[in-house]
Amino acid sequence: MHLREITDDNRDAVRALRVRRDQKQFVASVSKSLKEAAKKAEANPWYRAVYRGDEPVGFVMLSWRPPAGPYQGRHFLWRLLVDKRYQRRGIGREALMQIAALVRADGATELLTSYEPGDGEPWPFYQKFGFEPTGEIDDGEIVLRLTFPAR
């Protein structure tokens, strides 16, 4: 599994990725995410397709140390999506491991994310990975923090 830039060659295949119907309330589509990234350049969006071999199976997007705003200078996992055909195979966990390694290599001491609470919410996934609630709520979403051990 690896992360790959989204280009004209793979954009349509990545945009075709879909989550299960019961997950749609928790994660925006790739198309919506790319539009949001284009509209919110100030959030310093960084995004990649998640590949297994030569096939796109997921999508990740971070706000990478934005110069201003509530997450100024921090890394915030904005989207994590694994196509419904490839879930429950460890792809989300592996993608998150790679993202955490990249963020840590960038000098960060933490990675933030958030989720919307509800039936089927992603909290158990993030909790198993080591994220903890910060006590903050952002636009109705619970903010989580993954703290990296000191080197």
Side-chain angles (χ1 to χ4, degrees), residues 4-18:
R4 189 183 292 182
E5 281 193 58
I6 297 173
T7 65
D8 289 342
D9 293 335
N10 67 359
R11 185 171 281 107
D12 288 344
V14 176
R15 288 175 65 184
L17 299 171
R18 298 285 182 265

Side-chain angles (χ1 to χ4, degrees), residues 47-63:
Y47 49 84
R48 297 291 185 268
V50 177
Y51 271 76
R52 193 174 75 172
D54 288 332
E55 188 169 9
V57 296
F59 173 80
V60 298
M61 184 165 80
L62 282 79
S63 184

Side-chain angles (χ1 to χ4, degrees), residues 24-140:
K24 288 182 180 183
Q25 74 187 72
F26 299 114
V27 62
S29 69
V30 174
S31 292
K32 184 175 180 182
S33 297
L34 293 174
K35 286 176 188 168
E36 201 172 336
K39 286 182 193 171
K40 296 186 178 182
E42 72 278 4
N44 204 23
W46 179 95
Y47 49 84
R48 297 291 185 268
V50 177
Y51 271 76
R52 193 174 75 172
D54 288 332
E55 188 169 9
V57 296
F59 173 80
V60 298
M61 184 165 80
L62 282 79
S63 184
W64 195 278
R65 292 193 301 150
Y71 301 108
Q72 179 178 352
R74 298 160 92 184
H75 298 80
F76 189 94
L77 178 61
W78 198 351
R79 296 284 191 283
L80 174 58
L81 177 156
V82 175
D83 186 86
K84 59 187 174 186
R85 298 168 295 165
Y86 300 99
Q87 292 183 8
R88 300 210 166 271
R89 298 183 188 188
I91 292 168
R93 181 170 177 73
E94 178 63 27
L96 197 47
M97 286 174 59
Q98 287 190 25
I99 292 162
L102 289 168
V103 166
R104 191 169 185 203
D106 194 47
T109 58
E110 65 182 8
L111 172 62
L112 301 169
T113 194
S114 66
Y115 72 93
E116 184 176 322
D119 191 31
E121 67 191 19
W123 165 236
F125 169 78
Y126 288 119
Q127 186 179 31
K128 280 185 212 162
F129 200 85
F131 281 85
E132 297 176 339
T134 64
E136 298 170 62
I137 304 291
D138 183 6
D139 197 24

